[in-house]
Amino acid sequence: MSDFPSTGARAQSDAAPAQTSAPTTGTGQAGDVVRAVVREVPDKVSTDGLEQKFDERWSAEGTFAFDRTATREQVYSIDTPPPTVSGSLHVGHVFSYTHTDVIARFQRMRGKEVFYPMGWDDNGLPTERRVQNYYGVRCDPSLPYVEGFEPPHAGTEGKAVKPADQVPISRRNFIELCERLTADDERQFEELWRRLGLSVDWSQTYQTIDATSRAASQRAFLRNLERGEAYQAEAPGLWDVTFQTAVAQAELEAREYPGHYHRVAFHRTGAAGTTTEPVYIETTRPELLPAVVALIAHPDDERYQHLFGTTVTSPLFGVEIPVLAHPAAAMDKGAGIAMCCTFGDLTDVQWWRELQLPTRSVVGRDGRLHRETPEWIADGPGAGLYAEGLAGKTTFSARKAVVEALVDSGDLDGEPKPTQRMTNFYEKGDKPLEIVTSRQWYIRNGGREWSTGGTTRDLKSELLARGKELDFHPDFMRVRYENWVGGLNGDWLVSRQRFFGVAVPVWYPVLDSGEIDHDHPITPSAAELPVDPTSQAPAGYDESQRGEPGGFVGDADVMDTWATSSLTPLIVAGWERDTDLFERVYPMDLRPQGQDIIRTWLFSTVVRSHLECGVLPWKNAAISGWILDPDRKKMSKSKGNVVTPMDLLVEHGSDAVRYWAAAARLGTDAAFEVGQMKIGRRLAIKVLNASKFALTFGVDPETGAGEITLDPAAVTVQLDRAMLAGLADVVDQATAALEAYDHTRALELTESYFWAFCDDYLELVKDRAYGAGASADALSAETVSARTALALALDVMLRLLAPYIPFATEEVWSWWRTGSVHRAPWPTAEPLRSAAVGADPLDLTAAGNALAALRKVKSAAKVSMRTPILSGTVAVPVALLPGVESAIGDVRGAGRVEGPLELVEATEGQGDPDVQGGIVVTASELGEPPAKKPRG
């Protein structure tokens, strides 16, 4: 069959009724020849209303429905990012999701059945915060459920309701409000995605909190637990005191935070009770003096060699602590010796673990110092200070009290020195994180050594090897993955002390003594999932036994949102619920995502697939850059500099906005540019107008219909063949670029050729294509050649542009073809080369440059382009001379040359090679400009 499609209908399935057209055999070298019937070409073209028109048509005809009968080899599957449903989308979403859609449309036209689902990430803290503000409520798990509860607000116009004014409600009531609000948000999101033209199969959708996702997430966790990949531990962890939840390493954000260095004296005891010189340390957190467990210096620091192995006592509290050596101590920072507290920062945790130091925590989950005086200082000199001045205070207030006490005792040397220190924050939080000791659940990710079956498993190396198997686009993003994995220093903390999320699916026995037995968790069967241990009793128990001796308690925590999002390819592929689908789409072909979540979403997904399936979850990762505002700052909701996309889509049109997005390469940041959208709109309108021009030839002016034969053998004129030869090169290069996930390069090539086609070729062949008014039966071979070449080129360029501007190209396709351009086969170069029969694309360039030189003469004379040229001499560089000579008839016609036109070989330096390729008109005589037509 010819590559020029006889039908745009999709491969047939129950979702897509058959659409047929009958190709008739012609004389083309490539096989069957297509006869296309032009049904309607509008008098006036417009992009307005195309989005709704074709969204409705695509939905009705199942254009993008996934064919479940396709084999794995025939499928291209995409692990589409589920956007966070916690408010409005911003233009950054449009940017990255357009990149994915271009690839989806390209693969579909390449003959693949594209599995392109859409999910909604409505699980976790962003949704909780939005519900609190939107409805004016807060969750209090101690409260009973209220049937038919109605919140005090139903939208607060973006204004946050103060916590004191939020109505406390039960956890179940709170979750119901989360589900209500996300359902509303999802409808708005889908409307925007449809307006943008995402070729998603809308029958393949999911939520990260729906029953299917919760069951999959809990099942995967229980599998991890069974294999020893999940474990719980009482250990120090990062804690956000505002949101009252643990925070994982991947969710940290280092920010500068103002503070002061305090030079504080620790005391040494000499022989027979004599005193010696104090040891000074510098700290920004003097409030942690009651939690100090050691002083630590670098083992090579000569200043402290004599102290290693000795002890000192802490100021104010008099606790005896050792002086130890550790290579992580910084000799050039502060005094070179630091106090290790449990816990001030992650270095303290490292020292505590590696030096096996005692735990003396004083900061609780509420961000305040413990209200009971710790036992290690209860009998010391600082007991009174702690009980009266520190107990129950915030770290800020406690710091002030400790500094005042150090001044009074003489243990503060000099004045505190202001400094800006880098401190860990939760990425969504506003206060520095504390490190508190609590029982949490972890999944192994290579951050800590892991022994199983008597041998040590090097999971970190395994995950680094997986990263080398994955094709990153662009490849330089690979180093971000490798740096993250290589720098891990702890396993993945997956439990969260929140409310709206996937529950940790375990209960714990309550011993007869009333103690909770965390070492022997009770787990549900796979058939019971999903479960909520806070409202369901485990098998063999009833609700009356909750919290009672001999009974049970449910784990109150939920899992980190990434613990569910890391399973998106398994969830959408039907893991353990739809084996047939799973075998057809998994492992998937593509994971598109942002660069900032390589460390979270990409890495965690690799971890889960590696542990569960022993394979990569996908073959390719396409990494988008960021959208920058006019000040070159990253756009984000938190910075308040985002642009809402729906207004842009309405104002400029979806094709225009998609063009702007697609003009940015993967992995590179792009500025938000309305000007670029205007260029995209101009392109879409030009496609409509140029197509109207090309399709109007041969159409009956009475009926507005006609037939176009796409017969390559009918292209007989050298200029027409040269145009098709150039287009063949574009097809090859654009295809190679898209196969390499360089959608921007493919667009650049196609768009550049399209504009040259409009500016040069259309103008050159216009007169010849009109055929001087000859009837259809009396057309010259030259006219037939022009019309056929126009149709062949239009057919190919519509398909090349379809992934980028899907609405304008579909509109043109509907004028003269059946089915959808998005189900038409992607063009190949071979039929074009067959039609070009060895022509040189440079010939079209030469002819176009010659026409531009003639028009430049008229522009210089400030006369109309329709002004005739009575005679002229054109100097042409020798390389371009054959091309101009072969197209001299079209050059004369387009340039309105009525008399002799002499072509001469240009001498060296005669023309500017950057202007019209060095072609220059050396002599000319202009006729009278045509009379202007009167208005009205």
Side-chain angles (χ1 to χ4, degrees):
M1 285 291 292
S2 166
D3 185 61
F4 305 107
S6 58
T7 177
R10 55 159 289 153
Q12 298 306 314
S13 72
D14 292 341
Q19 304 176 64
T20 60
S21 69
T24 58
T25 302
T27 58
Q29 299 102 318
D32 289 353
V33 173
V34 175
R35 297 189 190 279
V37 177
V38 180
R39 293 177 296 281
E40 54 175 343
V41 178
D43 292 333
K44 184 178 180 181
V45 301
S46 173
T47 59
D48 295 340
L50 296 184
E51 292 89 351
Q52 182 176 353
K53 172 182 176 180
F54 288 112
D55 176 53
E56 292 174 356
R57 182 177 299 182
W58 292 335
S59 296
E61 297 178 356
T63 304
F64 307 126
F66 175 64
D67 183 0
R68 282 286 299 260
T69 67
T71 64
R72 182 64 190 89
E73 292 72 24
Q74 297 169 325
V75 168
Y76 186 88
S77 50
I78 302 173
D79 182 17
T80 317
T84 301
V85 185
S86 57
S88 61
L89 290 163
H90 62 76
V91 75
H93 291 100
V94 167
F95 177 71
S96 56
Y97 282 75
T98 297
H99 297 171
T100 306
D101 192 60
V102 168
I103 296 300
R105 290 177 180 274
F106 167 68
Q107 291 291 344
R108 192 178 288 112
M109 295 175 74
R110 292 278 276 177
K112 293 285 190 179
E113 270 302 315
V114 176
F115 182 67
Y116 189 12
M118 178 61 69
W120 310 115
D121 189 7
D122 41 19
N123 165 18
L125 183 58
T127 298
E128 289 190 23
R129 295 178 70 180
R130 177 159 158 74
V131 166
Q132 288 170 344
N133 290 330
Y134 190 88
Y135 291 122
V137 297
R138 62 181 171 84
C139 183
D140 183 345
S142 67
L143 294 177
Y145 174 69
V146 176
E147 191 78 37
F149 172 79
E150 285 300 322
H153 301 283
T156 55
E157 299 180 350
K159 298 178 182 178
V161 179
K162 294 180 180 179
D165 297 330
Q166 293 172 351
V167 175
I169 59 175
S170 72
R171 178 172 179 169
R172 184 177 165 189
N173 285 125
F174 187 77
I175 290 173
E176 286 180 352
L177 291 179
C178 290
E179 292 170 343
R180 181 195 302 184
L181 188 56
T182 54
D184 291 340
D185 286 340
E186 286 160 16
R187 283 190 289 271
Q188 297 178 35
F189 277 42
E190 182 175 334
E191 179 185 353
L192 187 138
W193 284 148
R194 286 180 176 273
R195 177 92 186 200
L196 182 63
L198 296 192
S199 57
V200 163
D201 181 352
W202 289 106
S203 68
Q204 303 283 348
T205 60
Y206 68 96
Q207 300 168 303
T208 57
I209 199 66
D210 64 20
T212 298
S213 295
R214 283 186 285 125
S217 185
Q218 291 182 337
R219 182 167 62 248
F221 174 83
L222 293 173
R223 295 278 189 83
N224 293 136
L225 182 60
E226 183 180 353
R227 294 190 297 260
E229 297 153 1
Y231 65 92
Q232 58 178 330
E234 182 84 25
L238 293 158
W239 186 267
D240 189 288
V241 298
T242 302
F243 297 114
Q244 286 293 291
T245 187
V247 177
Q249 184 180 353
E251 297 168 309
L252 300 185
E253 188 175 288
R255 304 177 200 163
E256 282 196 340
Y257 192 73
H260 291 81
Y261 271 118
H262 304 80
R263 183 174 165 86
V264 177
F266 281 71
H267 302 286
R268 300 173 60 202
T269 302
T274 61
T275 59
T276 60
E277 286 296 315
V279 179
Y280 287 98
I281 61 96
E282 293 186 15
T283 179
T284 59
R285 301 205 62 182
E287 74 276 12
L288 295 182
L289 276 172
V292 67
V293 292
L295 294 189
I296 297 177
H298 194 280
D300 297 333
D301 196 328
E302 295 182 358
R303 292 172 294 176
Y304 302 110
Q305 294 292 323
H306 65 291
L307 291 178
F308 294 144
T310 68
T311 62
V312 295
T313 57
S314 60
L316 303 181
F317 301 99
V319 178
E320 187 173 357
I321 58 171
V323 181
L324 305 173
H326 194 282
M331 289 189 285
D332 58 349
K333 183 176 179 181
I337 188 167
M339 67 176 188
C340 174
C341 303
T342 52
F343 297 90
D345 57 24
L346 292 174
T347 302
D348 283 345
V349 177
Q350 179 188 2
W351 287 337
W352 166 81
R353 181 179 293 123
E354 295 179 7
L355 298 175
Q356 298 183 337
L357 298 170
T359 302
R360 293 173 182 163
S361 298
V362 295
V363 179
R365 290 187 175 192
D366 58 359
R368 296 175 179 271
L369 270 64
H370 294 319
R371 288 162 177 79
E372 297 292 328
T373 302
E375 59 176 326
W376 58 90
I377 59 177
D379 297 326
L385 168 64
Y386 188 94
E388 297 172 12
L390 304 181
K393 287 195 173 183
T394 65
T395 54
F396 179 83
S397 298
R399 185 177 309 150
K400 182 180 179 182
V402 167
V403 170
E404 290 174 353
L406 288 171
V407 171
D408 292 341
S409 69
D411 291 320
L412 184 68
D413 184 27
E415 293 293 321
K417 299 177 182 178
T419 184
Q420 290 289 118
R421 59 191 179 101
M422 295 303 293
T423 306
N424 285 320
F425 286 75
Y426 177 36
E427 59 189 359
K428 296 180 176 65
D430 301 319
K431 293 183 179 180
L433 296 173
E434 295 293 347
I435 299 178
V436 302
T437 300
S438 59
R439 180 174 293 277
Q440 303 288 346
W441 282 100
Y442 298 84
I443 291 178
R444 302 191 188 277
N445 66 356
R448 298 185 66 182
E449 189 175 90
W450 175 26
S451 295
T452 178
T455 60
T456 299
R457 182 173 174 181
D458 190 356
L459 184 56
K460 179 177 289 189
S461 295
E462 294 173 24
L463 294 170
L464 286 169
R466 287 287 180 220
K468 294 185 184 303
E469 296 174 23
L470 182 60
D471 288 332
F472 281 85
H473 307 283
D475 187 68
F476 66 77
M477 287 292 175
R478 181 187 310 277
V479 71
R480 300 197 181 191
Y481 175 91
E482 293 174 343
N483 287 345
W484 174 253
V485 179
L488 286 170
N489 54 32
D491 285 328
W492 177 13
L493 187 153
V494 296
S495 51
R496 292 292 185 275
Q497 292 66 51
R498 300 303 305 172
F499 313 112
F500 188 55
V502 178
V504 175
V506 298
W507 299 264
Y508 306 102
V510 178
L511 302 178
D512 292 340
S513 63
E515 293 184 28
I516 299 173
D517 182 4
H518 288 101
D519 296 331
H520 298 90
I522 304 166
T523 59
S525 66
E528 295 175 81
L529 302 177
V531 298
D532 180 4
T534 64
S535 61
Q536 295 173 243
Y541 295 83
D542 60 53
E543 194 60 34
S544 67
Q545 295 174 278
R546 185 180 295 273
E548 298 296 323
F552 69 93
V553 293
D555 196 309
D557 291 348
V558 297
M559 286 189 273
D560 168 22
T561 57
W562 295 116
T564 301
S565 296
S566 62
L567 299 168
T568 55
L570 290 170
I571 291 169
V572 298
W575 174 55
E576 296 209 341
R577 75 176 193 280
D578 190 338
T579 303
D580 177 75
L581 177 64
F582 191 77
E583 291 175 351
R584 295 178 194 277
V585 303
Y586 196 88
M588 303 182 88
D589 293 278
L590 177 65
R591 154 62 70 80
Q593 65 163 71
Q595 58 183 308
D596 51 333
I597 52 174
I598 290 174
R599 64 194 171 108
T600 48
W601 193 33
L602 188 146
F603 173 63
S604 63
T605 310
V606 171
V607 170
R608 303 305 286 279
S609 184
H610 177 71
L611 294 176
E612 187 61 44
C613 305
V615 296
L616 274 176
W618 357 258
K619 301 172 186 175
N620 300 278
I623 311 297
S624 294
W626 286 323
I627 295 299
L628 307 178
D629 67 12
D631 295 327
R632 308 299 294 180
K633 296 178 181 177
K634 177 192 172 186
M635 279 192 176
S636 68
K637 293 179 183 178
S638 62
K639 293 180 180 179
N641 61 349
V642 300
V643 176
T644 303
M646 184 60 85
D647 293 340
L648 291 173
L649 297 177
V650 171
E651 180 180 359
H652 301 286
S654 297
D655 281 347
V657 177
R658 288 174 62 101
Y659 171 87
W660 159 75
R665 282 184 168 80
L666 288 174
T668 59
D669 298 340
F672 174 73
E673 292 185 19
V674 170
Q676 192 84 346
M677 296 175 195
K678 292 179 179 178
I679 295 173
R681 183 175 180 84
R682 178 170 166 253
L683 173 64
I685 293 173
K686 189 67 174 180
V687 166
L688 296 175
N689 280 317
S691 301
K692 176 184 176 182
F693 173 79
L695 294 175
T696 301
F697 297 118
V699 172
D700 187 328
E702 297 294 329
T703 66
E707 185 176 85
I708 296 178
T709 303
L710 282 74
D711 183 359
V715 182
T716 57
V717 174
Q718 186 71 6
L719 182 66
D720 304 332
R721 290 175 170 176
M723 182 272 294
L724 295 179
L727 185 55
D729 290 342
V730 171
V731 169
D732 276 342
Q733 295 166 21
T735 303
L738 282 167
E739 287 176 338
Y741 293 86
D742 190 351
H743 60 263
T744 305
R745 177 61 178 158
L747 175 59
E748 290 171 348
L749 291 162
T750 303
E751 182 193 9
S752 177
Y753 195 83
F754 173 75
W755 284 115
F757 170 84
C758 294
D759 295 341
D760 293 340
Y761 183 74
L762 289 185
E763 294 300 321
L764 284 164
V765 303
K766 185 184 297 183
D767 286 355
R768 177 158 55 91
Y770 276 121
S775 66
D777 296 333
L779 294 177
S780 68
E782 290 78 12
T783 294
V784 171
S785 177
R787 292 182 177 184
T788 305
L790 282 168
L792 293 173
L794 177 62
D795 175 271
V796 169
M797 283 191 282
L798 286 175
R799 288 183 280 157
L800 289 175
L801 288 167
Y804 303 95
I805 50 173
F807 295 105
T809 52
E810 188 77 307
E811 170 71 359
V812 174
W813 197 262
S814 71
W815 297 345
W816 68 310
R817 307 306 292 273
T818 57
S820 170
V821 67
H822 304 295
R823 280 287 181 171
W826 185 256
T828 60
E830 187 270 330
L832 293 169
R833 297 201 192 285
S834 175
V837 289
D840 188 346
L842 189 62
D843 289 352
L844 173 58
T845 303
N849 287 340
L851 175 60
L854 293 173
R855 289 182 164 179
K856 185 178 180 182
V857 171
K858 300 178 186 181
S859 295
K862 297 182 179 179
V863 296
S864 166
M865 289 297 128
R866 293 184 292 120
T867 301
I869 296 176
L870 303 181
S871 65
T873 301
V874 183
V876 184
V878 64
L880 301 181
L881 198 54
V884 179
E885 290 173 339
S886 67
I888 192 63
D890 289 325
V891 172
R892 288 175 60 87
R896 300 292 187 267
V897 179
E898 296 181 354
L901 184 65
E902 182 182 9
L903 301 181
V904 299
E905 184 178 322
T907 59
E908 186 175 352
Q910 190 169 18
D912 185 346
D914 295 329
V915 180
Q916 288 92 49
I919 298 177
V920 62
V921 177
T922 58
S924 63
E925 180 184 357
L926 297 176
E928 289 296 322
K932 292 184 178 180
K933 294 181 179 180
R935 292 184 178 181

